[in-house]
Amino acid sequence: MDRTGDTPVIARGAARSYGDASFGPGLTLDMRRLDHVTAFDAASGVMTCEAGVLLSDVIRLWTPRGWFPPVTPGTKFVTIGGMIASDVHGKNHHLAGSFGDHVISFRLALGDGSVATCSRTENVDLFEATCGGMGLTGVILEATFRMIPVRSARIMQETQRAPNLAAAMDLFEAGSERTYSVAWIDCLATGAELGRSAVIFGDHASPDDFDSDARSAPFSRRTPNKRRIPLDFPGFALNRASVSAFNKLYYKRQAPGRRLVDLEPYFYPLDAIQDWNRIYGQRGFVQYQCVLPLATSRDGLAALLTEIARAGDPSFLAVLKRLGRESFGLLSFPLEGYTLALDFPATDRTFGLLDRLDDITLEAGGRLYLTKDARMRRAMLEASYPRLDRFRAVREQYGFTTRFRSALSDRLGL
Amino acid sequence: MVTNQSVLILGARSDIGRAIAHTFAGHGRPIVLAARRAADLNVDVADISARYQVAASAIEFDVIDGGATRFFDSLPELPDVVVMVAGLLGDQAVNEVDQDAAMRVMATNYTGPACYLLEVARRMEARGSGAIVGISSVAGDRGRRSNFVYGSAKAGFTAFLSGLRNRLAAQNIQVVTIKPGFVATRMTAGMKLPPALTAAPQEVADATWRAVTKGSDVVYVRSVWRLIMWIIRSIPERLFKRLSL
Ligand SMILES: Cc1cc2nc3c(=O)[nH]c(=O)nc-3n(C[C@H](O)[C@H](O)[C@H](O)COP(=O)(O)OP(=O)(O)OC[C@H]3O[C@@H](n4cnc5c(N)ncnc54)[C@H](O)[C@@H]3O)c2cc1C
Ligand SMILES: NC(=O)c1ccc[n+]([C@@H]2O[C@H](COP(=O)([O-])OP(=O)(O)OC[C@H]3O[C@@H](n4cnc5c(N)ncnc54)[C@H](OP(=O)(O)O)[C@@H]3O)[C@@H](O)[C@H]2O)c1
């Protein structure tokens, strides 16, 4: 690292963020070589590892031993450092909080040659700024976090159909004790059917849930069945049309009822398509993810979905999720309420639509997820992240404003 | 193969060596990592034992120190599988004018590894079991102007492994020659390599695992290299000497 601080740097993990967070005007630090597991305590489930360790490795090696990450995003090809820097949330946010809630401590390189250990009792300001801080408060070198015990490598999934948005939200509220929940909204539906969706609950299965012949090997993985993979398109056929086809198929496959499913297709449906994320880079897709506070969610979501339906392209499918309470991270995204995530092609028309979605989000007191953003305006950020000033103050205090910069921080003045 | 067979990786800091260590540890094999500045490998030792729940340790090793006997005497036990990964590409232009540099490339790729493996072979023969793997190179299949100091040393190493295999065939000791082709590692960082011909370190490791479990002799990691080198070897010398390869 350049100790004079002349050249700004930004860390990059597995580059699974959608926007401009992991590159910038200066050097990019590829963290993937820092990928050693330091220690694991099988009594408590506490793991210490370097920041470049991939979540996919943790899952592959620890699930058979009865441990699972406390929080997982919708792809397993992310690094532990990236999970902290985005303070990622999963389908269990309403109960488990975000990843930062399970981090005990980490070692942070401050860019002047010094390394600080940060936790809830030590360098608290840096701990709070770094969880969700998008790499702008130093480079996470190593982290210690708690895993959760699981009794099998399967999920007991339960799918319910919701005829409209209100019904979907009622299902979420009634299912608040379920470990995982998510809804796939069919954006084809309008009017009285606006928000028609499949709400999918899940709990870690116990061997008792298995057929008697499978009970003795609760962690065995079934050999991947080709038809379980949502799409069999060859790589070259993966374009915009096939992504929306994927979405539709995925939605249609969600037949109501209970069934046992393997962890991987449950949590990571998109990972089954090799390098699917390249489609987004090359063909120009944008993700849009907002969260609305609980009080304004019902009206706000209806307004968002109406606006999307009005825009005309019926191929999109939106993912809806109930989030729990706000995290301690100064720039963490989650807020008690509902989050909506959408894929859009990056056309001029789309950007007009996204501006209108911004207005609805802002009016509802919501905000956008930085790790998925590439276009938000500074005013929107400033109006929606109330602890932004404290974040900026930490950046000033430690001399981070010149040392750690990304295209994201330059664009938004972070 | 018995599952507790221990594996010694000579040159364990290399990207290829690391991948091989992880792959064998993933199959439950205890691992000994050998490299220069072995103390730095403590993070790798912790990593391997945390990930795979196998015994792991690190030991100091310099392939050109002429100390093979001392080295193996200091090991608590003779490993079941020994993988020679150490090697040095060097700079061909420098090697042509700097004899010390050229000698270092020759020693690191041929005489050093050969001396260590002779010592291993002697001990395995006495025990009556074992497997020896050498990471050689397609560069040894024919000397070319672009890297013939390295290539000739690998050619020597390949011939050595071939003879050793012949020598030990009747003793129940397996000798494997791995020819990786291009591999994206620290050694080739910054070079422009054709993607279709360039393997990831993990592919070399997978090929090594398969070779040891299946009892293979000579392995081209990506089979296209077998064809390419067959063509290169078939070009008549009169023509070959004018080519720029
Ligand atoms: C298919 C898909 C599904 C997803 N689903 C979800 C989801 O359900 N929930 C969710 O929360 N997110 C989700 N994401 C987003 C993803 O989890 C985050 O963007 C995550 O941060 C990516 O991690 P990464 O290692 O790829 O980091 P990168 O994309 O490389 O970097 C992301 C940010 O982390 C910083 N960073 C990385 N490593 C370090 C380090 N060592 N020290 C300091 N800063 C660092 C970077 O500077 C950058 O600001 C999804 C992404 C994809 C592609
Ligand atoms: N990359 C390719 O394209 C390619 C192709 C064909 C064959 N190979 C062979 O694959 C093997 C591994 O190479 P790599 O690509 O993984 O590159 P690498 O990372 O540069 O590995 C070379 C290793 O050799 C070790 N070494 C050098 N001199 C040594 C000495 N005197 N004593 C002990 N160890 C020594 C180095 O140890 P230190 O860590 O101490 O420096 C290093 O770990 C080499 O034999 C190479 O020739 C590579």
Side-chain angles (χ1 to χ4, degrees):
Chain A
M1 198 179 296
D2 174 20
R3 296 205 171 167
T4 62
D6 290 346
T7 311
V9 298
I10 191 72
R12 172 186 295 170
R16 261 13 187 222
S17 54
Y18 285 77
D20 49 2
S22 64
F23 56 88
L27 297 172
T28 299
L29 289 178
D30 182 352
M31 301 304 294
R32 286 172 309 172
R33 293 190 75 100
L34 216 58
D35 67 348
H36 297 93
V37 176
T38 314
F40 177 72
D41 178 7
S44 62
V46 171
M47 167 165 299
T48 301
C49 69
E50 290 175 345
V53 166
L54 285 172
L55 184 64
S56 55
D57 277 1
V58 173
I59 290 167
R60 179 171 56 86
L61 295 167
W62 269 271
T63 305
R65 292 155 73 174
W67 295 99
F68 197 69
V71 166
T72 173
T75 172
K76 62 183 187 303
F77 298 117
V78 293
T79 63
I80 300 301
M83 289 172 71
I84 297 173
S86 297
D87 195 19
V88 298
H89 59 272
K91 297 174 182 174
N92 58 352
H93 188 272
H94 57 290
L95 293 177
S98 51
F99 190 65
D101 288 313
H102 306 267
V103 173
I104 297 166
S105 65
F106 49 75
R107 296 199 308 120
L108 189 68
L110 305 185
D112 58 359
S114 67
V115 174
T117 298
C118 309
S119 69
R120 284 170 186 76
T121 53
E122 220 179 326
N123 295 306
V124 182
D125 54 344
L126 289 174
F127 190 74
E128 291 178 345
T130 303
C131 289
M134 303 307 290
L136 297 169
T137 57
V139 178
I140 303 160
L141 301 177
E142 186 181 70
T144 299
F145 61 96
R146 239 177 262 285
M147 304 257 277
I148 57 166
V150 293
R151 296 177 61 200
S152 79
R154 308 264 173 89
I155 293 287
M156 180 55 86
Q157 171 181 303
E158 184 180 350
T159 303
Q160 299 182 23
R161 294 272 191 196
N164 54 40
L165 180 64
M169 292 176 71
D170 289 344
L171 285 176
F172 272 115
E173 299 305 326
S176 62
E177 296 303 313
R178 308 298 295 272
T179 314
Y180 300 103
S181 57
V182 67
W184 293 69
I185 299 184
D186 179 0
C187 290
L188 290 166
T190 55
E193 296 188 313
L194 187 77
R196 179 174 68 199
S197 46
V199 184
I200 307 171
F201 296 105
D203 296 287
H204 288 281
S206 88
D208 303 339
D209 300 323
F210 289 31
D211 294 342
S212 50
D213 55 328
R215 229 166 266 166
S216 59
F219 294 106
S220 79
R221 305 285 181 92
R222 275 176 280 193
T223 39
N225 175 346
K226 267 280 180 270
R227 283 181 34 227
R228 298 180 59 80
I229 294 173
L231 261 197
D232 286 336
F233 281 117
F236 61 82
L238 284 174
N239 53 25
R240 199 175 86 58
S242 61
V243 168
S244 56
F246 167 85
N247 282 341
K248 276 186 216 155
L249 273 185
Y250 194 86
Y251 173 74
K252 291 228 175 77
R253 274 179 63 242
Q254 306 307 322
R258 271 162 67 86
R259 58 195 192 115
L260 268 184
V261 295
D262 288 356
L263 284 172
E264 306 245 338
Y266 178 80
F267 286 107
Y268 316 112
L270 282 169
D271 287 349
I273 307 176
Q274 274 285 313
D275 293 334
W276 71 272
N277 57 314
R278 297 225 176 107
I279 322 160
Y280 291 86
Q282 283 166 7
R283 318 263 163 146
F285 257 71
V286 288
Q287 263 260 330
Y288 188 86
Q289 183 170 1
C290 60
V291 57
L292 307 184
L294 201 51
T296 57
S297 282
R298 224 166 261 269
D299 293 344
L301 287 171
L304 289 168
L305 291 172
T306 307
E307 190 61 44
I308 293 162
R310 218 163 54 85
D313 194 328
S315 61
F316 307 122
L317 207 114
V319 177
L320 182 68
K321 167 82 201 96
R322 171 74 156 87
L323 296 183
R325 65 177 165 66
E326 190 168 26
S327 158
F328 62 86
L330 299 183
L331 281 194
S332 285
F333 165 71
L335 205 60
E336 173 108 40
Y338 281 84
T339 178
L340 190 66
L342 308 138
D343 280 322
F344 290 102
T347 63
D348 290 345
R349 208 168 57 125
T350 298
F351 283 109
L353 168 64
L354 297 187
D355 286 344
R356 294 194 295 283
L357 299 186
D358 281 356
D359 293 342
I360 298 170
T361 300
L362 209 49
E363 196 172 319
R367 61 191 178 208
L368 301 187
Y369 194 3
L370 290 173
T371 208
K372 299 201 172 177
D373 175 64
R375 48 159 290 283
M376 182 186 355
R377 293 200 191 85
R378 203 175 280 204
M380 167 121 189
L381 173 88
E382 288 173 347
S384 58
Y385 279 86
R387 288 171 294 175
L388 180 62
D389 288 345
R390 277 177 59 201
F391 183 80
R392 284 177 171 157
V394 171
R395 294 251 299 151
E396 285 294 338
Q397 184 193 333
Y398 288 89
F400 291 156
T401 41
T402 47
R403 232 174 268 149
F404 299 107
R405 281 170 60 190
S406 61
L408 174 92
S409 73
D410 282 6
R411 173 166 60 87
L412 292 172
L414 284 170
Chain B
M1 256 178 91
V2 197
T3 55
N4 62 0
Q5 286 191 324
S6 59
V7 183
L8 169 65
I9 313 281
L10 297 164
R13 188 180 292 105
S14 65
D15 292 328
I16 292 175
R18 265 192 85 187
I20 293 174
H22 279 254
T23 302
F24 279 78
H27 286 97
R29 307 293 194 270
I31 302 291
V32 181
L33 305 173
R36 300 180 287 190
R37 303 179 308 285
D40 293 356
L41 292 181
N42 286 341
V43 285
D44 292 279
V45 168
D47 179 44
I48 287 174
S49 47
R51 281 177 190 247
Y52 310 107
Q53 298 178 284
V54 297
S57 57
I59 182 167
E60 192 69 27
F61 160 69
D62 188 331
V63 76
I64 55 175
D65 67 356
T69 307
R70 202 172 352 105
F71 177 84
F72 284 101
D73 282 345
S74 77
L75 288 184
E77 58 176 16
L78 183 65
D80 298 285
V81 181
V82 174
V83 188
M84 177 59 76
V85 193
L88 177 63
L89 183 57
D91 181 323
Q92 174 65 24
V94 172
N95 292 341
E96 287 178 17
V97 294
D98 178 344
Q99 285 187 18
D100 287 343
M103 292 277 281
R104 197 157 47 246
V105 170
M106 295 179 206
T108 309
N109 292 299
Y110 176 40
T111 53
C115 289
Y116 266 83
L117 294 188
L118 282 171
E119 185 68 31
V120 175
R122 213 166 50 72
R123 293 174 188 238
M124 283 187 175
E125 192 181 13
R127 183 179 60 189
S129 71
I132 295 171
V133 180
I135 309 294
S136 192
S137 174
V138 299
D141 284 10
R142 190 165 193 179
R144 289 171 294 121
R145 65 196 251 179
S146 57
N147 66 359
F148 65 84
V149 173
Y150 172 78
S152 64
K154 286 293 191 189
F157 190 45
T158 299
F160 171 86
L161 292 167
S162 160
L164 192 65
R165 177 159 46 245
N166 191 191
R167 165 75 175 75
L168 296 174
Q171 332 286 319
N172 187 34
I173 293 162
Q174 186 195 359
V175 178
V176 185
T177 310
I178 304 281
K179 296 184 179 180
F182 297 136
V183 189
T185 67
R186 200 164 39 132
M187 186 177 271
T188 52
M191 297 184 192
K192 273 209 152 59
L193 302 176
L197 302 180
T198 305
Q202 188 56 48
E203 290 177 62
V204 183
D206 291 338
T208 303
W209 168 257
R210 276 196 307 273
V212 169
T213 45
K214 282 172 36 191
S216 318
D217 298 322
V218 180
V219 174
Y220 285 83
V221 171
R222 288 204 170 182
S223 51
V224 58
W225 277 103
R226 189 183 289 276
L227 176 68
I228 293 172
M229 296 321 294
W230 177 80
I231 294 169
I232 288 181
R233 275 197 315 271
S234 318
I235 302 171
E237 194 65 25
R238 242 180 328 150
L239 178 61
F240 190 78
K241 71 182 180 191
R242 305 198 183 284
L243 297 180
S244 152
L245 283 167

